Amino acid sequence: MPKPPSSYPDYAAKCDPRLPQKALQYRLDYPPPLTTTRYLNGFNVTAWLYQDSAGVQDIHVELNTTIDELQRKFGPAETPDAEVGFHSEMLAAQWFRGKSQFTILQIFSERIPCPKMCAPMLRTYYPGVPWYYYYDRRSWIGPNGKRIRYPADVLKSVYDL
């Protein structure tokens, strides 16, 4: 059972435990499993709890597309500032686009949504919807009092890997 994540805003209700469970299960089921240090550092999983117009709840999960994957498929970007992967939160938002029968209830992402693209998008298009996350490079402090620099170190701990 994954540990409870942090929330935004701080006063949000508790995260539905199905969200981190679904994210972990996605990692475990992905071929190959995304549980090695390399994959924990390289990939972010987001899980969004939503409700349809009949009141039925479900969870949609997305995985980011890395810069390496995009370069293998399309070649290098034309300029260095264009070398950006597709963030899992953006992919999930794209999946929900035009699906007005769905109401987003909670958003879980293993990493805090990035401040330049994802956080502003979530605040704009999903105001009032709480986000939950594990890794925030600015705030994770290890038992030795030092900042934890890599997502894998946090995710191994919260997922008990």
Side-chain angles (χ1 to χ4, degrees):
M1 176 73 129
K3 292 179 175 57
S6 298
S7 67
Y8 173 86
D10 292 338
Y11 56 83
K14 289 187 178 187
C15 179
D16 186 310
R18 295 175 294 176
L19 294 174
Q21 288 170 352
K22 192 81 158 185
L24 173 58
Q25 196 59 54
Y26 188 89
R27 280 189 174 278
L28 294 170
D29 293 345
Y30 198 88
L34 302 174
T35 54
T36 64
T37 297
R38 176 177 169 235
Y39 291 136
L40 289 166
N41 280 331
F43 290 95
N44 182 52
V45 178
T46 190
W48 294 33
L49 177 65
Y50 66 95
Q51 183 173 291
D52 69 16
S53 53
V56 177
Q57 291 185 359
D58 202 358
I59 297 171
H60 179 73
V61 178
E62 287 285 347
L63 179 71
N64 65 304
T65 305
T66 66
I67 295 169
D68 288 343
E69 289 177 272
L70 293 172
Q71 286 178 340
R72 277 194 300 276
K73 191 169 186 175
F74 302 108
E78 290 185 23
T79 61
D81 63 328
E83 282 196 353
V84 179
F86 297 149
H87 294 206
S88 58
E89 298 90 349
M90 291 294 199
L91 294 170
Q94 179 65 33
W95 189 85
F96 282 103
R97 188 174 177 184
K99 293 179 171 83
S100 60
Q101 73 274 26
F102 296 145
T103 301
I104 309 302
L105 303 174
Q106 293 187 354
I107 297 169
F108 168 78
S109 188
E110 292 174 327
R111 302 176 193 184
I112 191 168
C114 72
K116 289 188 179 183
M117 292 187 308
C118 297
M121 179 272 299
L122 293 175
R123 282 193 289 273
T124 300
Y125 293 105
Y126 303 98
V129 176
W131 329 330
Y132 302 90
Y133 58 91
Y134 285 129
Y135 178 74
D136 176 358
R137 66 180 175 86
R138 298 167 296 174
S139 64
W140 272 86
I141 305 298
N144 60 1
K146 292 187 179 184
R147 195 167 276 163
I148 297 176
R149 297 182 53 175
Y150 300 103
D153 297 331
V154 171
L155 295 174
K156 285 178 187 177
S157 169
V158 297
Y159 286 150
D160 200 24
L161 296 173

